[in-house]
Amino acid sequence: MSILTKPRMIGLAIALIIFAADQWIKDYVTGPLEINRIGDYVEILPFFDLRFTQNFGISLGLFEATSPEMRYALVAVTALIALVVFIWMLREKAFGDILGLSLILGGALGNIVDRYTLGYVVDYADLHFGDFRPFLIFNVADAAITIGVVIILARSFFVRDKEEEQDIEPAQT
């Protein structure tokens, strides 16, 4: 049996699409739209702005890279995590899990490229309701990673339990 089955190929394609979309949107926001300095923003809707920020850390700004050594250490750690996700995705059989992992992989690759080339991750999506911001400023990669993690967690809590219950039920005679 080939490791590159149709569901896995679809997963790899989704990861590539997420990566490409993330990089293209970041380039568009910081290039043609010229939202490329701290404080720059454009209101799109009353509750959504494009607002430039630099994220020197990982999720929620944790583990901020304050030196070149820390920057490359974050690149190495996140690349290792992306490699683990890639291998996990190649071993998965269920398309739901492959989908979640592909979103995580595509998002991770987008943020790794930023961190490696710029020293920080470009964040620009600012969802807010007045002064209330339910999320920090984020990007497509962050959204994909979050959705992928939610899919993996939901499937691990709900789908696998149902499969196990079906396996445990005694045979009907």
Side-chain angles (χ1 to χ4, degrees):
M1 181 170 94
S2 172
I3 196 165
L4 292 178
T5 62
K6 185 176 180 181
R8 292 180 187 126
M9 292 298 290
I10 292 169
L12 290 172
I14 291 169
L16 182 61
I17 290 167
I18 293 295
F19 169 75
D22 175 66
Q23 292 297 294
W24 183 82
I25 293 170
K26 288 172 182 173
D27 287 344
Y28 186 72
V29 167
T30 60
L33 293 181
E34 296 182 353
I35 305 169
N36 53 21
R37 292 178 302 278
I38 301 295
D40 288 354
Y41 77 97
V42 172
E43 182 179 317
I44 303 298
L45 296 167
F47 55 87
F48 184 78
D49 302 335
L50 295 177
R51 182 179 305 271
F52 181 81
T53 190
Q54 301 169 338
N55 183 353
F56 290 93
I58 57 171
S59 285
L60 305 173
L62 299 173
F63 307 114
E64 199 167 284
T66 56
S67 70
E69 294 80 15
M70 291 176 71
R71 167 187 172 187
Y72 292 115
L74 273 179
V75 168
V77 167
T78 52
L80 178 63
I81 292 168
L83 178 62
V84 168
V85 168
F86 174 70
I87 292 168
W88 183 5
M89 187 174 80
L90 292 180
R91 297 177 59 134
E92 272 302 330
K93 294 179 179 93
F95 183 70
D97 292 331
I98 292 170
L99 174 63
L101 292 167
S102 69
L103 293 171
I104 294 167
L105 180 61
L109 293 175
N111 284 344
I112 288 168
V113 166
D114 278 14
R115 189 172 315 288
Y116 180 78
T117 59
L118 302 171
Y120 56 87
V121 173
V122 173
D123 287 335
Y124 55 83
D126 183 16
L127 178 66
H128 58 87
F129 304 97
D131 289 334
F132 174 65
R133 286 180 164 74
F135 308 104
L136 296 176
I137 300 172
F138 60 97
N139 59 41
V140 167
D142 298 337
I145 291 167
T146 301
I147 293 167
V149 168
V150 167
I151 289 170
I152 295 295
L153 289 174
R155 288 187 54 79
S156 69
F157 287 129
F158 302 115
V159 174
R160 296 195 199 289
D161 289 344
K162 289 179 183 176
E163 290 172 359
E164 288 175 9
E165 286 174 13
Q166 289 173 352
D167 292 342
I168 294 172
E169 290 179 14
Q172 300 285 334
T173 56

